[in-house]
Amino acid sequence: MVKLQLPNPGLEDRIPSHAALEVLEKEEADSRPKWDNKAQYMLTCVGFCVGLGNVWRFPYLCQNHGGGAFMIPFLILLVLEGIPLLHLEFAIGQRLRKGSVGVWSSIHPTLKGVGIAAMFVSFLVSLYYNTIIAWVMWYFFNSFQEPLPWSSCPLNDSRTDYVEECAKSSPVDYFWYRETLNISTSIGDSGSIQWWLLLCLTCAWGVLYVCIIRGIETTGKAVYVTSTLPYLVLTIFLIRGLTLKGSTSGIVYLFTPNVAELANPVTWLDAGAQVFYSFSLAFGGLISFSSYNSVHNNCEKDALIISVINGFTSVYAATVIYSIIGFRATERYDDCFDKNILTLMNAFDLPEGNVTQDNFEQMQQLCNMTDPTIFASLKFETCNLETFLNDGVEGTGLAFIVFTEAITKMPVSPLWSILFFIMLFCLGLSSMFGNMEGVLVPLQDLKIIPPKVPKELVTGLVCVGSYLIAFIFLLNSGNYWLALFDSFAGSIPLLIIAFFEMFSVVYIYGIDRFNKDIEFMIGHKPNIFWQVTWRVISPLIMLVIFLFYFVVKVNEELLYSIWDPSYEEFPKTQKVEYPSWVYAIIVILAGVPSLAIPVFAIYKAIRNFCQKKSDRTGLMISTSETSVNGNLKYSA
């Protein structure tokens, strides 16, 4: 077993002993927040870990990487990468009883940059995550009408036909890109702020502020609703989905494994990244949440329970989503067939009901034999159920285009729309609790804001500042900015932070010390599984993912999708290159959090060197100064 440990002088002075820890817990009982009960803590962690990515990113990756075959690398990496890091974050937060900045600076002063990096990532992700919640609220408010506003195209100004952009695309596309985003044709064409989204963003940050105004004292109450309601709604949707025509086609398609995908390195790369993001690791929020626990809380059991819930939720949500996607694909397949049947009936003046899906090919052959000239002039659409099932959309497109289209085809569609967007709102809000915890607690640890300033005011200032910066996502080009943040703010930096977290605990804090801490807290030492994954397997997996990701991104041309009605293949989105100035933004989004770790370490090393030099100079001066009677006088 690897037992390398780097020198770490002064560690004993920076961390409380086991005996002092129990005394400290009693002393902090009135001054430091704590959970009302275990259920409150577990629901908060589940709410933070289980977010929008479980509902819309995981199903897309399953479909993109061989259906059920994707589950194999996902579950393997969940065990070898996700669970060990989750347990480590829970344990170190509970042991040192501090937020992310406090924990890493206690382990070693030069590691404070790890906590600062996590704070930056939490802040950047919060900016765009709450904008998605604002979009969800916009759709939620628009769901209280029959028919739904995205169920049909609006008429043009002369009221003689449908709006051309909508007629060329679809009602759901038009409502999303034009009525909601009012999107421009490039990231450089900023346009103006959309007032309806501004109102929704104001509501989103207002609701969040009310929920987090007093930290876990208020979020702990909100999670009883925000963490449980999504499961109820998912179950209702599953029951409803299974009664819809074609739903089983979607589920079968999702779980049919394409084993050849296991040989594709990108499948494993995406599985590792998905495990990482779905656990909300390296944001700092989980460390803060665990620090409010009792010293003897069983953090190992907590990590296992939350991991099982997280993995189950991903698979369960994918099943629900694909039951609805199966219904949508079947509806589109039937519509396609109906058009072809109508084309054949009109051309050959056939009686209604004579041509069906079952006898369509035979009727085609018969008509071809009757009049080959007319038959040759007919244009039939290609109707293939698998093609419609394979029409995958990731992220916001899955929620605001695919799912909304399926909902319009359901009876009592406003009800299903309201339920769906309530679910997304709860998923997003409970994740935001953790993101904001990852910003507010480090700010306190860094002592940037004086301790006298009330917590409510600090929280309000952070929310207002974030709200104002998020205006960039309300512009005509806002969706392009959000996609940019999503791609780079929460990717590479998280991998780097997590690697440093594990390396710091194992090789700087010391794995033997960590084992004794866990034995003190839960009553037994971590078993061989934890030892092997912490020391070797998990850091190695993170390094491989980082290297693969880096190689893929370096060789990949950076393109983004734009919505352009003048594009010749419209309504398909057009892939175009980012303007050159965007690369500077990418460096800021991915580089600033990542570089916070080495930059702070270098700053600390230089400062320590200068301080030692100053101390030596001071010592020389103090020993060389003499008194009037000639004896040495120590002035230092």
Side-chain angles (χ1 to χ4, degrees):
M1 197 71 73
V2 181
K3 285 209 171 185
L4 170 69
Q5 185 177 340
L6 300 174
N8 190 357
L11 177 61
E12 296 291 348
D13 300 326
R14 293 192 299 271
I15 63 170
S17 65
H18 291 167
L21 202 58
E22 292 182 319
V23 175
L24 186 66
E25 184 181 356
K26 289 175 185 175
E27 288 175 352
E28 289 179 343
D30 297 325
S31 60
R32 202 166 192 273
K34 60 181 179 180
W35 302 105
D36 291 348
N37 51 61
K38 186 63 176 281
Q40 193 180 76
Y41 164 65
M42 294 296 282
L43 285 172
T44 303
C45 290
V46 166
F48 183 33
C49 293
V50 176
L52 296 171
N54 296 72
V55 172
W56 62 37
R57 192 169 186 267
F58 182 78
Y60 168 79
L61 290 173
C62 281
Q63 178 219 37
N64 216 29
H65 293 298
F70 182 76
M71 306 280 183
I72 298 167
F74 174 74
L75 293 173
I76 290 171
L77 293 174
L78 182 141
V79 172
L80 297 179
E81 177 196 12
I83 300 176
L85 190 53
L86 184 67
H87 184 196
L88 182 138
E89 288 202 354
F90 280 166
I92 202 70
Q94 187 172 304
R95 166 65 179 90
L96 299 180
R97 306 187 65 73
K98 292 178 180 178
S100 58
V101 167
V103 160
W104 304 117
S105 55
S106 294
I107 290 174
H108 198 284
T110 57
L111 291 174
K112 189 181 276 190
V114 176
I116 294 170
M119 180 185 72
F120 277 138
V121 172
S122 291
F123 175 69
L124 291 171
V125 170
S126 296
L127 292 177
Y128 74 82
Y129 212 87
N130 222 30
T131 304
I132 296 172
I133 295 175
W135 292 344
V136 167
M137 293 178 88
W138 167 249
Y139 269 79
F140 173 73
F141 295 145
N142 276 284
S143 297
F144 291 90
Q145 47 189 306
E146 174 72 61
L148 291 169
W150 55 83
S151 59
S152 60
C153 286
L155 295 171
N156 59 21
D157 292 336
S158 60
R159 308 190 70 79
T160 54
D161 202 355
Y162 294 123
V163 172
E164 186 183 3
E165 185 180 348
C166 185
K168 279 184 176 180
S169 53
S170 70
V172 286
D173 282 325
Y174 182 79
F175 188 84
W176 170 238
Y177 287 112
R178 190 55 55 212
E179 299 282 355
T180 301
L181 303 175
N182 194 19
I183 201 163
S184 62
T185 55
S186 80
I187 193 170
D189 182 8
S190 299
S192 57
I193 289 173
Q194 314 309 304
W195 65 265
W196 52 93
L197 292 181
L198 178 62
L199 291 177
C200 292
L201 188 70
T202 307
C203 289
W205 279 104
V207 170
L208 180 65
Y209 175 66
V210 169
C211 291
I212 64 170
I213 189 169
R214 294 189 61 79
I216 66 165
E217 295 171 40
T218 45
T219 57
K221 307 293 186 293
V223 291
Y224 289 117
V225 176
T226 60
S227 295
T228 55
L229 193 61
Y231 290 96
L232 176 63
V233 175
L234 278 174
T235 304
I236 293 169
F237 263 104
L238 181 62
I239 295 166
R240 179 68 185 110
L242 291 174
T243 64
L244 297 170
K245 183 184 176 185
S247 60
T248 50
S249 302
I251 296 170
V252 168
Y253 180 79
L254 173 67
F255 288 104
T256 303
N258 176 9
V259 184
E261 275 292 325
L262 293 176
N264 182 1
V266 178
T267 302
W268 290 83
L269 178 65
D270 282 346
Q274 177 59 20
V275 166
F276 204 84
Y277 305 142
S278 68
F279 275 95
S280 297
L281 298 166
F283 281 91
L286 293 172
I287 293 175
S288 294
F289 287 150
S290 65
S291 73
Y292 304 126
N293 277 326
S294 164
V295 173
H296 294 292
N297 173 62
N298 192 337
C299 51
E300 180 181 275
K301 186 179 171 184
D302 295 346
L304 292 171
I305 290 170
I306 287 169
S307 300
V308 169
I309 291 171
N310 203 333
F312 164 77
T313 305
S314 293
V315 177
Y316 187 52
T319 306
V320 175
I321 295 295
Y322 267 85
S323 71
I324 303 298
I325 285 176
F327 162 67
R328 171 183 176 259
T330 304
E331 286 282 308
R332 293 174 75 184
Y333 176 75
D334 289 345
D335 289 345
C336 179
F337 241 114
D338 289 344
K339 287 177 185 175
N340 287 348
I341 289 169
L342 193 63
T343 300
L344 195 65
M345 285 170 55
N346 289 342
F348 289 89
D349 201 20
L350 299 171
E352 195 172 336
N354 247 29
V355 186
T356 62
Q357 285 188 21
D358 296 328
N359 70 0
F360 183 70
E361 286 186 13
Q362 289 90 335
M363 292 300 292
Q364 274 187 313
Q365 292 170 5
L366 184 64
C367 291
N368 190 21
M369 289 167 61
T370 307
D371 194 333
T373 309
I374 293 176
F375 186 83
S377 66
L378 299 179
K379 289 184 179 178
F380 295 106
E381 292 184 21
T382 305
C383 302
N384 186 296
L385 182 60
E386 192 161 325
T387 304
F388 291 124
L389 284 167
N390 202 32
D391 185 15
V393 183
E394 185 183 8
T396 52
L398 181 63
F400 299 113
I401 297 174
V402 174
F403 222 85
T404 50
E405 183 187 337
I407 285 170
T408 59
K409 299 178 188 298
M410 293 183 191
V412 202
S413 53
L415 173 65
W416 299 109
S417 183
I418 290 165
L419 279 175
F420 178 65
F421 289 109
I422 284 176
M423 178 186 75
L424 291 187
F425 176 77
C426 289
L427 284 170
L429 189 63
S430 56
S431 293
M432 278 299 296
F433 294 160
N435 286 334
M436 293 307 290
E437 183 77 10
V439 175
L440 294 167
V441 174
L443 280 178
Q444 292 171 2
D445 291 346
L446 289 168
K447 297 181 172 59
I448 293 172
I449 298 167
K452 291 180 182 179
V453 179
K455 184 191 286 185
E456 295 86 350
L457 181 59
V458 174
T459 305
L461 289 172
V462 171
C463 286
V464 169
S466 304
Y467 165 71
L468 294 173
I469 296 169
F471 280 12
I472 193 170
F473 304 121
L474 308 181
L475 300 168
N476 297 108
S477 59
N479 191 43
Y480 306 135
W481 280 101
L482 190 136
L484 189 69
F485 270 66
D486 190 35
S487 298
F488 296 99
S491 54
I492 284 290
L494 289 177
L495 282 169
I496 293 170
I497 294 164
F499 176 79
F500 273 99
E501 284 185 356
M502 199 161 274
F503 182 86
S504 302
V505 170
V506 176
Y507 299 112
I508 299 177
Y509 185 73
I511 191 67
D512 292 334
R513 183 191 303 275
F514 192 51
N515 288 336
K516 287 173 187 172
D517 288 344
I518 291 175
E519 185 179 17
F520 166 73
M521 291 190 293
I522 69 174
H524 64 84
K525 277 189 177 181
N527 60 34
I528 190 70
F529 167 77
W530 302 112
Q531 303 297 332
V532 173
T533 50
W534 283 336
R535 296 174 195 231
V536 182
I537 296 175
S538 294
L540 201 61
I541 287 172
M542 282 185 273
L543 272 179
V544 170
I545 290 173
F546 172 73
L547 291 172
F548 263 102
Y549 184 91
F550 191 73
V551 168
V552 167
K553 286 293 177 187
V554 165
N555 293 326
E556 190 179 76
E557 194 178 11
L558 280 181
L559 303 173
Y560 71 111
S561 300
I562 63 164
W563 179 260
D564 186 1
S566 62
Y567 178 46
E568 57 188 22
E569 292 184 40
F570 185 80
K572 284 185 178 179
T573 54
Q574 184 182 359
K575 296 275 187 183
V576 297
E577 271 192 78
Y578 275 116
S580 55
W581 56 266
V582 168
Y583 289 87
I585 306 295
I586 291 170
V587 169
I588 292 169
L589 292 176
V592 169
S594 304
L595 291 172
I597 300 170
V599 166
F600 189 86
I602 293 165
Y603 158 75
K604 198 73 180 175
I606 293 169
R607 189 178 169 191
N608 288 346
F609 176 76
C610 294
Q611 201 168 6
K612 282 177 184 176
K613 197 173 179 182
S614 173
D615 290 345
R616 281 199 299 270
T617 307
L619 187 62
M620 287 172 67
I621 292 169
S622 67
T623 54
S624 61
E625 190 177 351
T626 55
S627 63
V628 175
N629 60 12
N631 295 326
L632 287 174
K633 182 173 72 176
Y634 293 92
S635 58

PDB file of all heavy atoms in Angstrom, residues 543-565:
ATOM      1  N   LEU A 543      -7.139  11.721 -13.126  1.00  0.00           N
ATOM      2  CA  LEU A 543      -6.054  12.133 -14.029  1.00  0.00           C
ATOM      3  C   LEU A 543      -6.328  11.686 -15.463  1.00  0.00           C
ATOM      4  O   LEU A 543      -6.132  12.459 -16.408  1.00  0.00           O
ATOM      5  CB  LEU A 543      -4.728  11.527 -13.556  1.00  0.00           C
ATOM      6  CG  LEU A 543      -3.919  12.337 -12.535  1.00  0.00           C
ATOM      7  CD1 LEU A 543      -2.652  11.581 -12.155  1.00  0.00           C
ATOM      8  CD2 LEU A 543      -3.537  13.712 -13.104  1.00  0.00           C
ATOM      9  N   VAL A 544      -6.788  10.442 -15.633  1.00  0.00           N
ATOM     10  CA  VAL A 544      -7.080   9.908 -16.976  1.00  0.00           C
ATOM     11  C   VAL A 544      -8.208  10.707 -17.624  1.00  0.00           C
ATOM     12  O   VAL A 544      -8.121  11.090 -18.797  1.00  0.00           O
ATOM     13  CB  VAL A 544      -7.445   8.414 -16.895  1.00  0.00           C
ATOM     14  CG1 VAL A 544      -7.991   7.913 -18.236  1.00  0.00           C
ATOM     15  CG2 VAL A 544      -6.223   7.587 -16.497  1.00  0.00           C
ATOM     16  N   ILE A 545      -9.278  10.984 -16.853  1.00  0.00           N
ATOM     17  CA  ILE A 545     -10.402  11.779 -17.389  1.00  0.00           C
ATOM     18  C   ILE A 545      -9.917  13.162 -17.809  1.00  0.00           C
ATOM     19  O   ILE A 545     -10.267  13.660 -18.889  1.00  0.00           O
ATOM     20  CB  ILE A 545     -11.538  11.902 -16.347  1.00  0.00           C
ATOM     21  CG1 ILE A 545     -12.230  10.547 -16.157  1.00  0.00           C
ATOM     22  CG2 ILE A 545     -12.576  12.940 -16.786  1.00  0.00           C
ATOM     23  CD1 ILE A 545     -13.252  10.546 -15.035  1.00  0.00           C
ATOM     24  N   PHE A 546      -9.103  13.771 -16.946  1.00  0.00           N
ATOM     25  CA  PHE A 546      -8.572  15.106 -17.254  1.00  0.00           C
ATOM     26  C   PHE A 546      -7.750  15.090 -18.537  1.00  0.00           C
ATOM     27  O   PHE A 546      -7.931  15.944 -19.418  1.00  0.00           O
ATOM     28  CB  PHE A 546      -7.715  15.604 -16.088  1.00  0.00           C
ATOM     29  CG  PHE A 546      -6.970  16.878 -16.396  1.00  0.00           C
ATOM     30  CD1 PHE A 546      -7.637  18.084 -16.462  1.00  0.00           C
ATOM     31  CD2 PHE A 546      -5.603  16.870 -16.637  1.00  0.00           C
ATOM     32  CE1 PHE A 546      -6.963  19.265 -16.762  1.00  0.00           C
ATOM     33  CE2 PHE A 546      -4.918  18.035 -16.929  1.00  0.00           C
ATOM     34  CZ  PHE A 546      -5.605  19.237 -16.990  1.00  0.00           C
ATOM     35  N   LEU A 547      -6.842  14.110 -18.681  1.00  0.00           N
ATOM     36  CA  LEU A 547      -5.977  14.023 -19.860  1.00  0.00           C
ATOM     37  C   LEU A 547      -6.790  13.764 -21.125  1.00  0.00           C
ATOM     38  O   LEU A 547      -6.570  14.387 -22.158  1.00  0.00           O
ATOM     39  CB  LEU A 547      -4.917  12.939 -19.665  1.00  0.00           C
ATOM     40  CG  LEU A 547      -3.848  13.249 -18.599  1.00  0.00           C
ATOM     41  CD1 LEU A 547      -2.970  12.039 -18.351  1.00  0.00           C
ATOM     42  CD2 LEU A 547      -3.006  14.452 -19.009  1.00  0.00           C
ATOM     43  N   PHE A 548      -7.748  12.824 -21.030  1.00  0.00           N
ATOM     44  CA  PHE A 548      -8.604  12.527 -22.186  1.00  0.00           C
ATOM     45  C   PHE A 548      -9.418  13.753 -22.582  1.00  0.00           C
ATOM     46  O   PHE A 548      -9.548  14.083 -23.765  1.00  0.00           O
ATOM     47  CB  PHE A 548      -9.546  11.358 -21.878  1.00  0.00           C
ATOM     48  CG  PHE A 548      -9.031  10.040 -22.390  1.00  0.00           C
ATOM     49  CD1 PHE A 548      -8.444   9.125 -21.534  1.00  0.00           C
ATOM     50  CD2 PHE A 548      -9.126   9.706 -23.736  1.00  0.00           C
ATOM     51  CE1 PHE A 548      -7.964   7.906 -21.998  1.00  0.00           C
ATOM     52  CE2 PHE A 548      -8.649   8.503 -24.207  1.00  0.00           C
ATOM     53  CZ  PHE A 548      -8.072   7.593 -23.339  1.00  0.00           C
ATOM     54  N   TYR A 549      -9.988  14.398 -21.574  1.00  0.00           N
ATOM     55  CA  TYR A 549     -10.793  15.598 -21.826  1.00  0.00           C
ATOM     56  C   TYR A 549      -9.952  16.664 -22.508  1.00  0.00           C
ATOM     57  O   TYR A 549     -10.376  17.295 -23.478  1.00  0.00           O
ATOM     58  CB  TYR A 549     -11.358  16.121 -20.509  1.00  0.00           C
ATOM     59  CG  TYR A 549     -12.285  17.314 -20.651  1.00  0.00           C
ATOM     60  CD1 TYR A 549     -13.654  17.140 -20.796  1.00  0.00           C
ATOM     61  CD2 TYR A 549     -11.800  18.623 -20.648  1.00  0.00           C
ATOM     62  CE1 TYR A 549     -14.511  18.223 -20.924  1.00  0.00           C
ATOM     63  CE2 TYR A 549     -12.634  19.713 -20.776  1.00  0.00           C
ATOM     64  CZ  TYR A 549     -13.993  19.504 -20.911  1.00  0.00           C
ATOM     65  OH  TYR A 549     -14.836  20.576 -21.049  1.00  0.00           O
ATOM     66  N   PHE A 550      -8.741  16.849 -21.983  1.00  0.00           N
ATOM     67  CA  PHE A 550      -7.834  17.865 -22.521  1.00  0.00           C
ATOM     68  C   PHE A 550      -7.483  17.545 -23.976  1.00  0.00           C
ATOM     69  O   PHE A 550      -7.527  18.419 -24.844  1.00  0.00           O
ATOM     70  CB  PHE A 550      -6.565  17.921 -21.669  1.00  0.00           C
ATOM     71  CG  PHE A 550      -5.691  19.099 -21.975  1.00  0.00           C
ATOM     72  CD1 PHE A 550      -6.052  20.378 -21.585  1.00  0.00           C
ATOM     73  CD2 PHE A 550      -4.502  18.936 -22.672  1.00  0.00           C
ATOM     74  CE1 PHE A 550      -5.245  21.473 -21.865  1.00  0.00           C
ATOM     75  CE2 PHE A 550      -3.686  20.019 -22.962  1.00  0.00           C
ATOM     76  CZ  PHE A 550      -4.057  21.288 -22.553  1.00  0.00           C
ATOM     77  N   VAL A 551      -7.151  16.282 -24.256  1.00  0.00           N
ATOM     78  CA  VAL A 551      -6.790  15.857 -25.621  1.00  0.00           C
ATOM     79  C   VAL A 551      -7.964  16.048 -26.577  1.00  0.00           C
ATOM     80  O   VAL A 551      -7.813  16.569 -27.682  1.00  0.00           O
ATOM     81  CB  VAL A 551      -6.313  14.384 -25.622  1.00  0.00           C
ATOM     82  CG1 VAL A 551      -6.216  13.851 -27.042  1.00  0.00           C
ATOM     83  CG2 VAL A 551      -4.972  14.255 -24.919  1.00  0.00           C
ATOM     84  N   VAL A 552      -9.153  15.639 -26.116  1.00  0.00           N
ATOM     85  CA  VAL A 552     -10.354  15.761 -26.960  1.00  0.00           C
ATOM     86  C   VAL A 552     -10.648  17.225 -27.267  1.00  0.00           C
ATOM     87  O   VAL A 552     -10.912  17.598 -28.418  1.00  0.00           O
ATOM     88  CB  VAL A 552     -11.574  15.092 -26.273  1.00  0.00           C
ATOM     89  CG1 VAL A 552     -12.874  15.484 -26.976  1.00  0.00           C
ATOM     90  CG2 VAL A 552     -11.423  13.573 -26.268  1.00  0.00           C
ATOM     91  N   LYS A 553     -10.578  18.082 -26.235  1.00  0.00           N
ATOM     92  CA  LYS A 553     -10.914  19.500 -26.425  1.00  0.00           C
ATOM     93  C   LYS A 553      -9.870  20.246 -27.264  1.00  0.00           C
ATOM     94  O   LYS A 553     -10.215  21.130 -28.038  1.00  0.00           O
ATOM     95  CB  LYS A 553     -11.075  20.193 -25.067  1.00  0.00           C
ATOM     96  CG  LYS A 553     -12.365  19.836 -24.347  1.00  0.00           C
ATOM     97  CD  LYS A 553     -13.570  20.363 -25.086  1.00  0.00           C
ATOM     98  CE  LYS A 553     -14.873  19.967 -24.419  1.00  0.00           C
ATOM     99  NZ  LYS A 553     -16.052  20.342 -25.220  1.00  0.00           N
ATOM    100  N   VAL A 554      -8.598  19.873 -27.097  1.00  0.00           N
ATOM    101  CA  VAL A 554      -7.540  20.536 -27.864  1.00  0.00           C
ATOM    102  C   VAL A 554      -7.673  20.214 -29.352  1.00  0.00           C
ATOM    103  O   VAL A 554      -7.501  21.079 -30.220  1.00  0.00           O
ATOM    104  CB  VAL A 554      -6.144  20.116 -27.342  1.00  0.00           C
ATOM    105  CG1 VAL A 554      -5.056  20.487 -28.337  1.00  0.00           C
ATOM    106  CG2 VAL A 554      -5.870  20.805 -26.006  1.00  0.00           C
ATOM    107  N   ASN A 555      -8.009  18.968 -29.646  1.00  0.00           N
ATOM    108  CA  ASN A 555      -8.133  18.550 -31.052  1.00  0.00           C
ATOM    109  C   ASN A 555      -9.482  18.907 -31.660  1.00  0.00           C
ATOM    110  O   ASN A 555      -9.668  18.812 -32.865  1.00  0.00           O
ATOM    111  CB  ASN A 555      -7.916  17.029 -31.178  1.00  0.00           C
ATOM    112  CG  ASN A 555      -6.479  16.653 -30.851  1.00  0.00           C
ATOM    113  OD1 ASN A 555      -5.559  17.422 -31.134  1.00  0.00           O
ATOM    114  ND2 ASN A 555      -6.280  15.496 -30.243  1.00  0.00           N
ATOM    115  N   GLU A 556     -10.413  19.296 -30.817  1.00  0.00           N
ATOM    116  CA  GLU A 556     -11.770  19.587 -31.276  1.00  0.00           C
ATOM    117  C   GLU A 556     -11.899  21.061 -31.644  1.00  0.00           C
ATOM    118  O   GLU A 556     -11.417  21.941 -30.920  1.00  0.00           O
ATOM    119  CB  GLU A 556     -12.730  19.250 -30.127  1.00  0.00           C
ATOM    120  CG  GLU A 556     -14.183  19.253 -30.492  1.00  0.00           C
ATOM    121  CD  GLU A 556     -15.034  18.876 -29.278  1.00  0.00           C
ATOM    122  OE1 GLU A 556     -15.214  19.727 -28.387  1.00  0.00           O
ATOM    123  OE2 GLU A 556     -15.491  17.735 -29.217  1.00  0.00           O
ATOM    124  N   GLU A 557     -12.545  21.303 -32.778  1.00  0.00           N
ATOM    125  CA  GLU A 557     -12.798  22.693 -33.177  1.00  0.00           C
ATOM    126  C   GLU A 557     -13.925  23.234 -32.316  1.00  0.00           C
ATOM    127  O   GLU A 557     -14.964  22.581 -32.161  1.00  0.00           O
ATOM    128  CB  GLU A 557     -13.197  22.743 -34.655  1.00  0.00           C
ATOM    129  CG  GLU A 557     -13.151  24.135 -35.243  1.00  0.00           C
ATOM    130  CD  GLU A 557     -13.503  24.144 -36.736  1.00  0.00           C
ATOM    131  OE1 GLU A 557     -13.982  23.106 -37.238  1.00  0.00           O
ATOM    132  OE2 GLU A 557     -13.300  25.175 -37.375  1.00  0.00           O
ATOM    133  N   LEU A 558     -13.716  24.402 -31.711  1.00  0.00           N
ATOM    134  CA  LEU A 558     -14.724  24.954 -30.811  1.00  0.00           C
ATOM    135  C   LEU A 558     -15.861  25.603 -31.607  1.00  0.00           C
ATOM    136  O   LEU A 558     -15.702  26.676 -32.183  1.00  0.00           O
ATOM    137  CB  LEU A 558     -14.087  25.978 -29.870  1.00  0.00           C
ATOM    138  CG  LEU A 558     -13.340  25.412 -28.656  1.00  0.00           C
ATOM    139  CD1 LEU A 558     -12.789  26.541 -27.821  1.00  0.00           C
ATOM    140  CD2 LEU A 558     -14.238  24.538 -27.811  1.00  0.00           C
ATOM    141  N   LEU A 559     -16.989  24.901 -31.624  1.00  0.00           N
ATOM    142  CA  LEU A 559     -18.164  25.379 -32.351  1.00  0.00           C
ATOM    143  C   LEU A 559     -19.324  25.552 -31.383  1.00  0.00           C
ATOM    144  O   LEU A 559     -19.346  24.952 -30.316  1.00  0.00           O
ATOM    145  CB  LEU A 559     -18.563  24.372 -33.435  1.00  0.00           C
ATOM    146  CG  LEU A 559     -17.508  23.993 -34.485  1.00  0.00           C
ATOM    147  CD1 LEU A 559     -18.017  22.869 -35.368  1.00  0.00           C
ATOM    148  CD2 LEU A 559     -17.132  25.196 -35.343  1.00  0.00           C
ATOM    149  N   TYR A 560     -20.286  26.375 -31.763  1.00  0.00           N
ATOM    150  CA  TYR A 560     -21.515  26.470 -30.987  1.00  0.00           C
ATOM    151  C   TYR A 560     -22.704  26.522 -31.939  1.00  0.00           C
ATOM    152  O   TYR A 560     -22.569  26.871 -33.116  1.00  0.00           O
ATOM    153  CB  TYR A 560     -21.483  27.684 -30.057  1.00  0.00           C
ATOM    154  CG  TYR A 560     -21.592  29.050 -30.706  1.00  0.00           C
ATOM    155  CD1 TYR A 560     -22.732  29.834 -30.538  1.00  0.00           C
ATOM    156  CD2 TYR A 560     -20.541  29.584 -31.468  1.00  0.00           C
ATOM    157  CE1 TYR A 560     -22.822  31.103 -31.112  1.00  0.00           C
ATOM    158  CE2 TYR A 560     -20.621  30.843 -32.033  1.00  0.00           C
ATOM    159  CZ  TYR A 560     -21.772  31.598 -31.858  1.00  0.00           C
ATOM    160  OH  TYR A 560     -21.868  32.840 -32.427  1.00  0.00           O
ATOM    161  N   SER A 561     -23.866  26.110 -31.434  1.00  0.00           N
ATOM    162  CA  SER A 561     -25.072  26.013 -32.267  1.00  0.00           C
ATOM    163  C   SER A 561     -25.849  27.324 -32.230  1.00  0.00           C
ATOM    164  O   SER A 561     -26.111  27.857 -31.147  1.00  0.00           O
ATOM    165  CB  SER A 561     -25.962  24.876 -31.771  1.00  0.00           C
ATOM    166  OG  SER A 561     -25.272  23.654 -31.832  1.00  0.00           O
ATOM    167  N   ILE A 562     -26.206  27.826 -33.406  1.00  0.00           N
ATOM    168  CA  ILE A 562     -27.013  29.054 -33.464  1.00  0.00           C
ATOM    169  C   ILE A 562     -28.349  28.766 -34.142  1.00  0.00           C
ATOM    170  O   ILE A 562     -28.476  27.837 -34.948  1.00  0.00           O
ATOM    171  CB  ILE A 562     -26.278  30.195 -34.223  1.00  0.00           C
ATOM    172  CG1 ILE A 562     -26.033  29.818 -35.700  1.00  0.00           C
ATOM    173  CG2 ILE A 562     -24.991  30.567 -33.529  1.00  0.00           C
ATOM    174  CD1 ILE A 562     -25.691  31.002 -36.573  1.00  0.00           C
ATOM    175  N   TRP A 563     -29.344  29.554 -33.782  1.00  0.00           N
ATOM    176  CA  TRP A 563     -30.679  29.451 -34.363  1.00  0.00           C
ATOM    177  C   TRP A 563     -30.811  30.576 -35.393  1.00  0.00           C
ATOM    178  O   TRP A 563     -30.868  31.753 -35.050  1.00  0.00           O
ATOM    179  CB  TRP A 563     -31.737  29.599 -33.274  1.00  0.00           C
ATOM    180  CG  TRP A 563     -33.157  29.546 -33.740  1.00  0.00           C
ATOM    181  CD1 TRP A 563     -33.979  30.594 -33.952  1.00  0.00           C
ATOM    182  CD2 TRP A 563     -33.927  28.376 -34.051  1.00  0.00           C
ATOM    183  NE1 TRP A 563     -35.220  30.173 -34.366  1.00  0.00           N
ATOM    184  CE2 TRP A 563     -35.213  28.799 -34.427  1.00  0.00           C
ATOM    185  CE3 TRP A 563     -33.656  27.011 -34.032  1.00  0.00           C
ATOM    186  CZ2 TRP A 563     -36.224  27.914 -34.781  1.00  0.00           C
ATOM    187  CZ3 TRP A 563     -34.669  26.122 -34.386  1.00  0.00           C
ATOM    188  CH2 TRP A 563     -35.924  26.569 -34.753  1.00  0.00           C
ATOM    189  N   ASP A 564     -30.800  30.195 -36.669  1.00  0.00           N
ATOM    190  CA  ASP A 564     -30.804  31.196 -37.741  1.00  0.00           C
ATOM    191  C   ASP A 564     -31.863  30.829 -38.781  1.00  0.00           C
ATOM    192  O   ASP A 564     -31.690  29.898 -39.563  1.00  0.00           O
ATOM    193  CB  ASP A 564     -29.423  31.244 -38.401  1.00  0.00           C
ATOM    194  CG  ASP A 564     -29.316  32.361 -39.440  1.00  0.00           C
ATOM    195  OD1 ASP A 564     -30.314  33.092 -39.626  1.00  0.00           O
ATOM    196  OD2 ASP A 564     -28.245  32.487 -40.056  1.00  0.00           O
ATOM    197  N   PRO A 565     -33.001  31.558 -38.802  1.00  0.00           N
ATOM    198  CA  PRO A 565     -34.076  31.256 -39.765  1.00  0.00           C
ATOM    199  C   PRO A 565     -33.636  31.355 -41.229  1.00  0.00           C
ATOM    200  O   PRO A 565     -34.282  30.783 -42.108  1.00  0.00           O
ATOM    201  CB  PRO A 565     -35.143  32.311 -39.446  1.00  0.00           C
ATOM    202  CG  PRO A 565     -34.869  32.721 -38.036  1.00  0.00           C
ATOM    203  CD  PRO A 565     -33.387  32.625 -37.879  1.00  0.00           C
TER     204      PRO A 565
END
